[in-house]
Amino acid sequence: MSEITELAAETLHLQRTARVVGDPRILIIDDEAAIRESLDTLLTLEGFTVSAASDGPSGLELLSRNEYDLLLLDLALPGESGLDLLPRIVEMQPNLPVIMITAYGTVGNVVDAIRAGAENFVQKPWDNEKLLADIRAAVARHRAEEEVVQLKRTLKQRYNFENIVGKSEPMLRLFDLIAQVAPSRSTVLIQGESGTGKELIAKAIHANSPRKDRPFVPVNTGAVPSELLESTLFGHVKGAFTSAVTAKKGLFEVANGGTLFLDEIGTMGMDMQAKILRVLQDRRFMHLGGVQEIQVDVRIIAATNVNLQDAVRAGRFREDLFYRLNVISLELPPLRSRREDIPLLASHFLKFYAEENGTETRSLSPEAMRIIMDYEWPGNVRELENAMERGVVLSTSRSINPDLLPTQLTGSTYSASLLDHQPNASLFDLMEEIERRIISDRLERCHWNQTEAAEYFKIPLSTLNQKIKRLNVEVKKRTRD
């Protein structure tokens, strides 16, 4: 069976079996208790799970914390009306069907509600059978749409690009862009902070392109000394310079028919930028010291962690080269803006380094997971990978606790939370609170065994007891001998 046929069969299987599990959930927002109770009874008897709120703010709070299949929204609410709330509801859950309920139905109200995103409009007193029919139809349609969305997500996650891990919206959009861009021969500019995985994206584009069986040649232009970069990229003839005892091909020739990945192109000098521009325009170049033009068929993918438009304005980067490179631009999101991918990435790296080191797969303790979710990750995915490798190498059990994480993670957790909650505290108070938290955390990890905690801190037990008393650290009963 071909790969395409297998994918089609898998898609059909998923379409047949994918479904949203659990009873349909309905939210009622109405200020009349009798109406809420009447609807609750009617819908519960029909097998729906019902939540209710008496005003707009309470309803929005429920929407922010839960997913629903339908919203029954009263038009005349105290404070903000149902029509006022509707745009915010649509923003929070765009696909949620909304049925407006009111005792004062007018053509104008109906038109306004539909324009604002409502699916239907029901007037009090309503006919139970008709209302239930409308609700069943709206819920069925919503669940069918959700199944399609879930199917697409499942397929994307199952058939995503090798070694690029992510299920967040920014990454799913990036996967779509890669799939669109890869088959073309257009130049691609990948922009993103250091450590976001720009080379992985470049490899994914190459691997999903018609050039996949030809070379993928990466070069970090910022790591090659400027006096050697021209020879590295274009090659040289014998005698071109003192140490050129033999002729040598450049990376453009090595990548012929394939892809050349120019990483950190923003660091390239202006003279070299002019030479790169000429290759992009003419697909021709000459060896250093040579006189014969060489024609190549190379796709260029460039990457940078600096804002090239700012560099153009500052006169550090050629504007014409920027526009040549910026045919298709991909922006890699920093890890802090796609936090839902952090557990997935951590699990991926823990499994990878466990296999590489011949150990059992490790997992993060709940406290360690909380720390990595709260951390800002200035080094992005590369920093997370290093942290997980460290945890695998240093751990002696299957669980990785916070003490095996790099100190910049655990330290920032304390300081960030303290500054958020005690913005006006003195330095002395902040240091005391940090010490209190560290001691409390260690005691909890030692199952409240103070002797073990004192040994960890490398201080006498009497000193630890004095600190516990002075800092008013709560000590619970030991849970382990």
Side-chain angles (χ1 to χ4, degrees):
M1 183 182 292
S2 70
E3 185 176 327
I4 294 176
T5 306
E6 288 177 350
L7 178 57
E10 182 67 19
T11 303
L12 181 60
H13 171 71
L14 287 168
Q15 288 173 333
R16 289 172 175 169
T17 59
R19 59 188 178 90
V20 181
V21 296
D23 293 332
R25 293 169 58 86
I26 294 180
L27 175 62
I28 302 165
I29 305 179
D30 197 299
D31 62 321
E32 295 184 53
I35 296 293
R36 295 196 303 272
E37 292 171 5
S38 175
L39 286 170
D40 192 341
T41 301
L42 175 67
L43 296 171
T44 301
L45 289 174
E46 290 295 316
F48 297 104
T49 300
V50 180
S51 301
S54 60
D55 54 39
S58 301
L60 293 176
E61 173 64 17
L62 287 171
L63 276 171
S64 70
R65 293 188 283 107
N66 303 285
E67 295 283 337
Y68 295 96
D69 295 289
L70 181 92
L71 170 61
L72 293 170
L73 177 63
D74 187 22
L75 178 65
L77 290 170
E80 292 182 279
S81 71
L83 280 177
D84 293 332
L85 290 174
L86 199 50
R88 293 160 65 187
I89 291 167
V90 171
E91 184 179 351
M92 293 172 70
Q93 295 195 27
N95 300 320
L96 178 67
V98 178
I99 295 179
M100 303 289 294
I101 299 178
T102 183
Y104 310 102
T106 66
V107 173
N109 285 339
V110 172
V111 171
D112 290 343
I114 299 300
R115 284 178 176 172
E119 174 154 324
N120 207 340
F121 206 99
V122 175
Q123 191 166 355
K124 302 174 186 177
W126 58 78
D127 177 87
N128 282 349
E129 288 304 317
K130 183 178 184 310
L131 178 61
L132 286 172
D134 290 341
I135 289 173
R136 290 190 196 101
V139 167
R141 185 162 53 253
H142 174 67
R143 290 212 150 190
E145 291 170 354
E146 288 299 299
E147 286 177 7
V148 172
V149 171
Q150 187 60 40
L151 171 64
K152 289 181 178 179
R153 287 179 177 272
T154 302
L155 286 172
K156 280 183 177 178
Q157 291 171 35
R158 185 168 297 186
Y159 299 101
N160 68 354
F161 300 99
E162 185 180 5
N163 296 324
I164 306 175
V165 178
K167 63 177 181 179
S168 62
E169 283 297 335
M171 293 307 293
L172 293 179
R173 287 196 297 271
L174 186 62
F175 292 156
D176 281 337
L177 284 172
I178 293 172
Q180 287 180 274
V181 168
S184 74
R185 61 172 295 163
S186 298
T187 302
V188 179
L189 177 62
I190 305 172
Q191 302 184 83
E193 296 178 7
S194 292
T196 48
K198 296 185 285 294
E199 185 170 343
L200 280 179
I201 299 299
K203 287 180 177 177
I205 293 171
H206 174 77
N208 288 273
S209 76
R211 299 171 180 264
K212 63 183 178 181
D213 295 325
R214 303 295 295 168
F216 174 84
V217 180
V219 55
N220 186 330
T221 60
V224 180
S226 57
E227 63 271 16
L228 297 179
L229 186 56
E230 183 176 0
S231 171
T232 301
L233 292 176
F234 303 123
H236 60 256
V237 299
K238 181 179 178 181
F241 46 88
T242 304
S243 59
V245 294
T246 60
K248 179 185 176 183
K249 284 185 176 181
L251 295 182
F252 270 96
E253 285 176 275
V254 174
N256 193 24
T259 303
L260 180 63
F261 175 55
L262 300 174
D263 198 8
E264 303 304 346
I265 197 166
T267 63
M268 189 179 288
M270 297 294 281
D271 289 345
M272 184 56 63
Q273 290 177 34
K275 293 180 171 64
I276 295 294
L277 176 64
R278 182 168 184 268
V279 179
L280 286 172
Q281 290 173 333
D282 302 334
R283 304 288 171 179
R284 296 173 182 273
F285 66 94
M286 288 190 292
H287 288 149
L288 182 61
V291 294
Q292 184 178 358
E293 284 193 331
I294 300 167
Q295 186 167 358
V296 288
D297 172 22
V298 174
R299 184 183 194 177
I300 300 294
I301 301 178
T304 178
N305 63 1
V306 300
N307 188 312
L308 289 187
Q309 287 179 303
D310 288 345
V312 168
R313 285 190 286 268
R316 298 191 306 272
F317 201 84
R318 293 180 62 111
E319 186 175 23
D320 47 6
L321 177 57
F322 170 72
Y323 288 120
R324 278 284 178 179
L325 293 172
N326 198 39
V327 176
I328 297 172
S329 180
L330 301 181
E331 189 75 33
L332 266 67
L335 187 55
R336 61 184 173 275
S337 70
R338 55 180 185 109
R339 293 185 183 275
E340 58 266 53
D341 289 338
I342 291 175
L344 197 64
L345 284 161
S347 176
H348 170 76
F349 291 133
L350 290 174
K351 181 179 179 182
F352 175 82
Y353 285 107
E355 291 175 354
E356 190 171 79
N357 289 277
T359 62
E360 288 184 301
T361 301
R362 308 298 199 230
S363 61
L364 295 169
S365 70
E367 177 65 11
M369 180 63 75
R370 183 186 68 79
I371 288 172
I372 72 167
M373 290 298 292
D374 289 343
Y375 185 58
E376 287 299 298
W377 297 108
N380 292 295
V381 177
R382 186 184 297 124
E383 186 181 9
L384 174 62
E385 179 178 1
N386 293 341
M388 295 304 99
E389 181 181 8
R390 169 193 167 96
V392 169
V393 172
L394 297 181
S395 63
T396 56
S397 65
R398 296 195 64 179
S399 181
I400 295 176
N401 293 316
D403 56 312
L404 295 181
L405 297 176
T407 54
Q408 69 266 26
L409 272 68
T410 51
S412 66
T413 301
Y414 290 123
S415 59
S417 60
L418 282 173
L419 291 173
D420 287 342
H421 295 99
Q422 301 183 39
N424 300 317
S426 68
L427 178 61
F428 177 79
D429 291 336
L430 289 172
M431 294 304 296
E432 275 205 339
E433 181 60 24
I434 289 174
E435 190 175 11
R436 183 182 296 112
R437 292 190 184 192
I438 290 173
I439 291 173
S440 180
D441 284 354
R442 175 48 51 186
L443 285 169
E444 184 176 359
R445 291 180 201 134
C446 294
H447 301 272
W448 309 103
N449 185 322
Q450 295 176 39
T451 301
E452 186 177 336
E455 291 174 355
Y456 174 84
F457 289 128
K458 298 179 175 61
I459 60 174
L461 178 59
S462 59
T463 302
L464 178 61
N465 286 331
Q466 290 171 9
K467 288 180 177 290
I468 288 172
K469 186 175 181 179
R470 176 173 61 83
L471 298 168
N472 196 27
V473 176
E474 180 184 2
V475 180
K476 298 181 181 179
K477 184 178 180 181
R478 283 173 58 176
T479 56
R480 182 185 71 189
D481 291 329

